Amino acid sequence: MAKKPRPSRYKEHWTILLIENDANRQQWIETHSPGNVRYRTIRRGQIGLEVITHMRPNDYSALMLDCDLDEGLQAGAEADFNGVEIAKLLVRHAPSRQPVLVLSHNGAGAARMVMVLESNGFDVTRIPFQDLTEEKLREWLMEVEEELGIEWT
């Protein structure tokens, strides 16, 4: 009996929210991803705030996060708006079923991000960008595919 293809709501492509301020890293990730994986890239904290607070449950298949962002956010007093703040926003606005890849070079910041997300039910993988290879990226994308039933080429 022939294997029936898995149904997928992601017919042509699926989208990952990539919060990364380095254009070279963004380009590397996009270049080494399968053709039907698309990225919505956020490079600045203020835009990240707006995107996350308005995201709907099915906007993104997965999340890729950096910790150190270029821009500060003013909320009464000046505050650094970094990946830890992004993680806290995601806990309030994103479904915990979305897999997360934390890519930050910042070990302490990344550890805090992972703690915030995992303690709220997110499935988090931590691979510092300097350790990310094409093979590791594709392995993570395959895990996302399996977890969410997404087909990619």
Side-chain angles (χ1 to χ4, degrees):
M1 180 179 224
K3 189 173 180 181
K4 197 173 176 181
R6 286 183 286 181
S8 175
R9 59 189 164 88
Y10 303 92
K11 298 186 179 12
E12 292 184 19
H13 68 272
W14 46 291
T15 303
I16 294 176
L17 179 61
L18 171 61
I19 299 180
E20 170 61 68
N21 65 331
D22 186 304
N24 291 326
R25 291 185 210 154
Q26 172 199 351
Q27 183 179 15
W28 187 92
I29 289 167
E30 290 176 358
T31 300
H32 293 88
S33 295
N36 65 338
V37 176
R38 303 286 186 263
Y39 291 92
R40 166 77 193 274
T41 303
I42 306 299
R43 291 193 184 114
R44 296 184 358 223
Q46 183 64 41
I47 295 171
L49 169 69
E50 293 170 17
V51 168
I52 292 168
T53 56
H54 293 97
M55 68 190 293
R56 296 174 307 220
N58 294 325
D59 283 349
Y60 305 103
S61 305
L63 310 165
M64 297 174 86
L65 309 175
D66 184 18
C67 185
D68 300 317
L69 303 173
D70 284 337
E71 177 183 277
L73 175 70
Q74 304 223 352
E78 282 192 32
D80 287 334
F81 194 74
N82 58 32
V84 176
E85 297 305 316
I86 292 283
K88 291 175 184 176
L89 279 173
L90 288 169
V91 165
R92 291 197 315 253
H93 297 284
S96 61
R97 66 167 177 72
Q98 290 178 319
V100 179
L101 177 58
V102 175
L103 298 164
S104 184
H105 290 287
N106 178 338
R112 287 193 307 272
M113 292 171 67
V114 169
M115 183 194 68
V116 167
L117 292 165
E118 284 184 339
S119 67
N120 285 280
F122 285 82
D123 177 19
V124 182
T125 300
R126 166 81 173 109
I127 305 174
F129 188 83
Q130 67 268 21
D131 297 334
L132 187 65
T133 62
E134 182 175 358
E135 182 179 337
K136 287 180 182 179
L137 175 61
R138 286 187 172 253
E139 284 175 9
W140 182 75
L141 291 169
M142 288 175 69
E143 289 174 14
V144 172
E145 174 197 27
E146 290 174 13
E147 190 170 321
L148 300 179
I150 298 168
E151 297 179 21
W152 58 286
T153 56

